[in-house]
Structure formats: structure tokens, C-alpha cells
Amino acid sequence: MITSPAFYLLLLLLAAYLLRRKQRTRNTLLVTAVVFALFFTSRPIYNLVSTMWLKGCTSEIKSGKVYHYGIVLGGFGSWDEERTRPEFGPCVDRLLEGVQLYRKGSIQKLVIAGDASNRIYDNPEKQNGNPQAMRAYIQRFGVSPADLILENKALTTRENARYLLALIGDSLKKERPLVITSAEHLRRALMTFEQEGIPVDGYATDCIVKNTNKSDLMPSLSVMTDWQHLLHEFIGYLYYSI
């Protein structure tokens, strides 16, 4: 499902144009478009909703607690074939926090789940990841080869859970792993793993909720991008719930 507010704003404007001869309908669509645009370009409104969505997400581990598996969910990077190196996106904190937790001894096995940097596609026309090179890259951070597990098939959060269970086995259910992912994604990820019969704890990264200042009172198109990500998680959560 398309979750971009800009897409639906364009639909409203297009409908208003196509129905321009029906004055009442056109005016209703234009007013709706204006209200829609003001809502989805408002930083204060987005910050309020985002704060409510992230409520309960934590980046803390109980003192002395050690997890056998720390699962870093994919979505943080891709593999650059031309330069033979990984390229990272805004969610790279997932990987960095996972490595740091491993280095601190909070997790014993670092599990990297279904990311484009290490994914192998069945369709050869798609760009392939590079599991072996990505494995070598992560090991540069001090992760022992014996403690690094890569899952390279999943395309969705649900597939992450299923493929990891097939890869690791029932010990994944018994050990109660730590799922490491972006704060916006954490609620849906935890529910998905639980639905697949894998009890998990969560560790949130990218816990960014911007403070509202005077300049944020003006509408901003950049807020629509933030809404797109949040709506993707919200709709995905409802879909998985159903």
C-alpha cells in the first residue's frame, strides 16, 4: 500500500481539476486538500503522533543481562558492486548498536537478518548483496566469525522471523533473543516475532523525536517523508494484527 501523503494530496488535486465543472465538489476537494496538506506538513503534529507511537520503546538492557542472540533487523544498507563495499542508509544505527552490544558482552551471537547488503536474490536480474564480503566487513569491528550469523533471504519482517527460526532452530525460541531495530519499527517487529512463536525483547535505535521550535510552526514538505515512514509502520502493524 502507498503510504506517501504526497501521493494522496496529488490525487485530491487531480480530482478537483477533473471535476472542476462541478463547483461544489471541486471546492470540497480543494478545501480537503488544503487541510490534508497542513496536517501532513506540520512538524508539531508529527512530533506528537511520533512520540505516542514510540512510547514504551527502550534502549536499555538490565544490568548484568546477557543475551545469547542479538538480532539486527535489515534495512540499514546495500552492497555497492562497483566499489565493492557496503553503502549505509539512515537506519545504520541498527548495525552499529548491535556491534557495540556485542563488544560490551551484552550479546554473545550477532545475527544480521535479511539486509540488501548481504541478501541473495532468486531473481538474477536484481542487484545481489554480497554475504561473504559483508561478513568480512563486520568482522573488522571485532566480531568473531564464530559469533556472526547472516540470514540472507528475507524481504519482510515476518520472513526475518521465519528464516531465522529455520536457520538457527528451536534454540531461538528458548533463548529469548534481543531484537535490535529502529524505534519506529520496533513495535511491529516484536509483535511479528511473537506471532511466529519466538519470545523476544526489544532494543530501539534511531530514537529521534525532534523538539518543536518556532521555525517548525511553518509547514514543511520534509515532514511528509517522516509521515511516510511512520504510516508504513502503523499500517503494517494493523495488517499483522489482523
Side-chain angles (χ1 to χ4, degrees):
M1 180 179 180
I2 298 174
T3 57
S4 171
F7 173 80
Y8 296 101
L9 178 60
L10 288 175
L11 283 184
L12 286 170
L13 294 175
L14 178 61
Y17 174 76
L18 294 176
L19 299 173
R20 60 189 180 277
R21 294 182 180 179
K22 298 181 179 181
Q23 187 173 359
R24 179 175 295 180
T25 302
R26 183 203 63 180
N27 291 342
T28 299
L29 289 170
L30 288 176
V31 171
T32 302
V34 170
V35 173
F36 186 93
L38 290 175
F39 182 90
F40 284 104
T41 57
S42 169
R43 174 63 63 185
I45 293 176
Y46 172 80
N47 284 351
L48 176 62
V49 176
S50 179
T51 300
M52 294 171 61
W53 178 253
L54 300 183
K55 187 177 181 180
C57 294
T58 180
S59 300
E60 298 180 358
I61 296 177
K62 293 181 180 179
S63 179
K65 175 68 174 178
V66 178
Y67 290 89
H68 190 69
Y69 298 109
I71 302 174
V72 175
L73 295 186
F76 53 80
S78 59
W79 189 262
D80 189 329
E81 292 288 348
E82 182 178 348
R83 298 176 178 82
T84 63
R85 68 184 186 190
E87 296 291 344
F88 298 112
C91 297
V92 69
D93 275 7
R94 301 180 186 183
L95 176 62
L96 298 179
E97 287 292 320
V99 170
Q100 290 302 314
L101 290 172
Y102 171 82
R103 295 288 301 272
K104 290 193 297 185
S106 297
I107 57 178
Q108 297 175 332
K109 301 282 186 182
L110 182 63
V111 183
I112 309 297
D115 185 76
S117 62
N118 66 275
R119 187 178 299 130
I120 298 177
Y121 292 96
D122 292 332
N123 184 352
E125 295 181 359
K126 291 186 177 181
Q127 181 181 0
N128 289 336
N130 195 324
Q132 297 305 318
M134 192 61 190
R135 181 184 295 274
Y137 182 88
I138 296 174
Q139 288 172 11
R140 296 183 202 170
F141 293 99
V143 180
S144 170
D147 296 333
L148 181 59
I149 300 172
L150 265 64
E151 180 275 302
N152 51 28
K153 294 182 179 180
L155 296 173
T156 66
T157 305
R158 187 168 298 282
E159 288 184 355
N160 283 151
R162 290 176 177 175
Y163 283 131
L164 284 173
L165 186 57
L167 179 65
I168 297 174
D170 288 339
S171 64
L172 194 64
K173 296 182 178 181
K174 300 174 183 178
E175 296 288 349
R176 195 175 186 91
L178 181 70
V179 170
I180 305 162
T181 190
S182 302
E184 280 186 348
H185 182 228
L186 186 60
R187 181 181 296 189
R188 179 162 64 97
L190 295 181
M191 181 183 66
T192 303
F193 273 76
E194 295 282 353
Q195 287 179 342
E196 293 300 317
I198 307 172
V200 292
D201 290 335
Y203 185 94
T205 68
D206 311 308
C207 303
I208 301 174
V209 178
K210 297 179 181 178
N211 294 324
T212 303
N213 52 49
K214 291 182 179 179
S215 64
D216 290 328
L217 298 179
M218 295 297 294
S220 173
L221 291 176
S222 66
V223 182
M224 282 195 175
T225 302
D226 296 332
W227 268 112
Q228 181 175 349
H229 299 310
L230 188 60
L231 288 172
H232 174 80
E233 293 303 327
F234 180 66
I235 293 172
Y237 183 84
L238 289 179
Y239 175 78
Y240 282 177
S241 296
I242 296 172

